[in-house]
Amino acid sequence: MSDDVDPGGNWNLPNALTTLRIVMVPFFGWALLTDGGQSILWRCVAYLLFVAAMITDKVDGDIARSRNLVTNFGKIADPIADKALTGMAFVGLSIIGELWWWVTIVVLVREWGITLLRFLVLRHEVIAASSGGKLKTLLQTFALGLLILPLRLLSGPWETVGLVLWWVGVALMAAAVTVTVVTGVDYVVKVLAVRRAAEAK
């Protein structure tokens, strides 16, 4: 067992928050898809669930690192929880017509592909998230958050505001997709370097 893994077992606060995030995914998806995404109330509920889940992602990571509670379970479950939540958001938004399917396919192929690669090299080396990867996550989070909100369902004096914010969300998503692809290629290059170094030993 490596020195950075908590010897006290897998059941701790960070892992409990990660598990909670996984449990929240189907409820988030249900709220987003209710009435075909045409319910202002349930879209707002979906947004609140999404924000709450992303907050737990930040909190459990901070706690795990600061209290040395990093576990093998956390290393595996945390990225799965992240990808399940964002994956549900991308797919759900495409189903209700808020996001083009090609965007969802490109992002999900990259995200799950990199997650699998991360597991493959985990026994050799943990490749830390790059600044580009952190920017990708930030852009995706804000873009998804805006598109989850029922911005195009608003009427009256809020209609123009809603449309402007929706286009902001689209612009952020375009930036997120670009960074997602670029960082994906960069990660593959790093993984290949790790594999070559491992095979050379």
Side-chain angles (χ1 to χ4, degrees):
M1 182 178 293
S2 62
D3 294 337
D4 63 339
V5 176
D6 172 38
N10 286 320
W11 188 246
N12 53 44
L13 180 58
N15 288 347
L17 290 173
T18 297
T19 303
L20 174 63
R21 198 157 72 254
I22 294 174
V23 172
M24 291 172 67
V25 172
F27 294 99
F28 161 71
W30 181 82
L32 179 61
L33 297 174
T34 296
D35 293 334
Q38 298 303 302
S39 169
I40 291 179
L41 173 61
W42 285 109
R43 289 279 290 275
C44 289
V45 170
Y47 174 78
L48 292 176
L49 289 172
F50 180 79
V51 170
M54 296 310 296
I55 290 174
T56 65
D57 180 33
K58 169 66 174 172
V59 171
D60 68 33
D62 289 346
I63 293 175
R65 287 185 292 271
S66 65
R67 300 184 183 179
N68 193 30
L69 295 176
V70 178
T71 64
N72 289 323
F73 172 83
K75 287 183 177 181
I76 295 173
D78 189 68
I80 289 176
D82 296 342
K83 300 305 178 287
L85 178 66
T86 56
M88 181 68 251
F90 275 104
V91 172
L93 287 170
S94 291
I95 289 175
I96 65 176
E98 291 285 354
L99 190 62
W100 299 278
W101 273 107
W102 71 264
V103 171
T104 293
I105 292 170
V106 167
V107 171
L108 293 191
V109 167
R110 184 274 189 199
E111 295 293 339
W112 285 100
I114 294 302
T115 298
L116 290 174
L117 283 176
R118 181 177 287 117
F119 289 151
L120 288 176
V121 301
L122 192 59
R123 63 191 179 93
H124 300 299
E125 180 180 343
V126 176
I127 301 178
S130 65
S131 56
K134 294 175 181 178
L135 175 61
K136 178 266 299 181
T137 300
L138 190 65
L139 288 171
Q140 283 189 8
T141 300
F142 280 102
L144 289 171
L146 284 173
L147 296 178
I148 289 167
L149 284 170
L151 297 174
R152 293 200 294 175
L153 300 179
L154 300 178
S155 58
W158 291 102
E159 182 176 1
T160 301
V161 174
L163 286 175
V164 169
L165 288 176
W166 184 82
W167 279 109
V168 170
V170 170
L172 286 174
M173 183 59 72
V177 171
T178 301
V179 177
T180 296
V181 172
V182 172
T183 55
V185 173
D186 178 64
Y187 195 90
V188 170
V189 171
K190 290 179 179 178
V191 167
L192 293 175
V194 170
R195 291 298 298 271
R196 284 195 297 268
E199 292 170 357
K201 291 181 179 179

